[in-house]
Amino acid sequence: MGSVYRRGRRWWGRYKDPSGRWCSISLKVDTKAQAKGLIQELEHKVHRQVLGLDPVQIIKTITFGKLMTVWWSEYQHLLRSKTIQPFAEKHLGPDLGGLLLCDITPGKLEALFNAKLGVLSPQSVNHLRSYVRRIYNFATRRELWNGANPASLVKKYRVPKKKPEYLRPNEVGLVLNALAPRWRPLFATAFFTGLRKGELLALLKADVDLGGRSIKIHRSNDEETTKGDHEDLIPVADDLVPYLVEAMKQSRSELLFSKPDGTQYAADLALHRILRRAMGRAGIVLGYDHRCRRKGCGFNEKRADAAESTCPRCSMKLWVKPIPRPTRFHDTRHTTATLLIKAKVPLAVVQKVMRHTDSNITSSVYGHLDLDDMREAVNTFGDTVRPHLQVVAGGDE
């Protein structure tokens, strides 16, 4: 026997499909009586399907794994990032791939996501939740599902907000000097312009106007559009010009930054590893790992300096490896915005350089003011009120 209930402003109904599984469905009605009437009609239709008088709809037979494949075949060309599908197949496929849509309940999803928290970060688990929600929305549009979206009934996991990394003004020069000549122009362009990784890899020589001191941004990786789906023109700093000239000399194709054979770099190029190795050579580190490489010894110690020493266990010379700050390549973009803001550049100008649609994004996400900036601000307050203060001297009350 089916039932009806209300969630928020909407009526919902529960019924058994022809296979005997419970399913939920959103009812576009205003009263409980109307909801009961629809559920009774639905149960009558299911009863006819069980008796073989009406055909069973595909909604009862399609599995979540099959739906993942269908969705990917239709939407992969519209996605800027192609990593979501293998990620979902790895973490959702084994548990959900063989289940029918009616078998996947909010409780099962929540239990699966809770188990993944020990392996994945909360943000990654939220990506899985969004993926499941997207699959069920796709099924609804294709009339393969007419119930509630189970992923929508699972709450998002709280993601701790961490302070992003950025390089200080003196560190930018140290990193550029520590980079190999092959990579120096690319990273210099990233620091001076704040371009995203895909936009850098897709830049053409024709996009650079050295005479007009500008760069046209209109492509990203293999796409003929950028993240914001619009074309932009950004200025070129005078100090960046020599790096751009060197990049044009190095490239053997129409691309500004290309492989040695002239082809375009893949979207998964590990530029963050190149950046961290350069930071290690430049001394921008959290410390140094001192490790004994003799088989069976296992001595390992983190120290603040890179001074050479011998193993206290076996007297073998220790191998020293720098531990760079956990910096992403995207943090070069954070560096651009932050250093412009710290240099007192008007926020509206920084917003234009970063190509943000909202200045709040520029200030809250990319503007990382440190303790020195805050100290300067509070000292400004002191400079304002100091002329009106009386000197406080010690004495009896």
Side-chain angles (χ1 to χ4, degrees), residues 54-66:
D54 289 336
V56 179
Q57 299 177 0
I58 189 173
I59 184 176
K60 313 305 176 189
T61 59
I62 191 169
T63 63
F64 186 81
K66 176 62 176 177

Side-chain angles (χ1 to χ4, degrees), residues 167-179 184 191-192 243 282 284 339:
L167 299 180
R168 281 59 178 174
N170 64 306
E171 295 175 341
V172 173
L174 293 174
V175 168
L176 290 178
N177 292 335
L179 285 164
R184 198 170 293 147
F191 283 125
F192 277 97
Y243 294 101
I284 307 172
L339 296 189

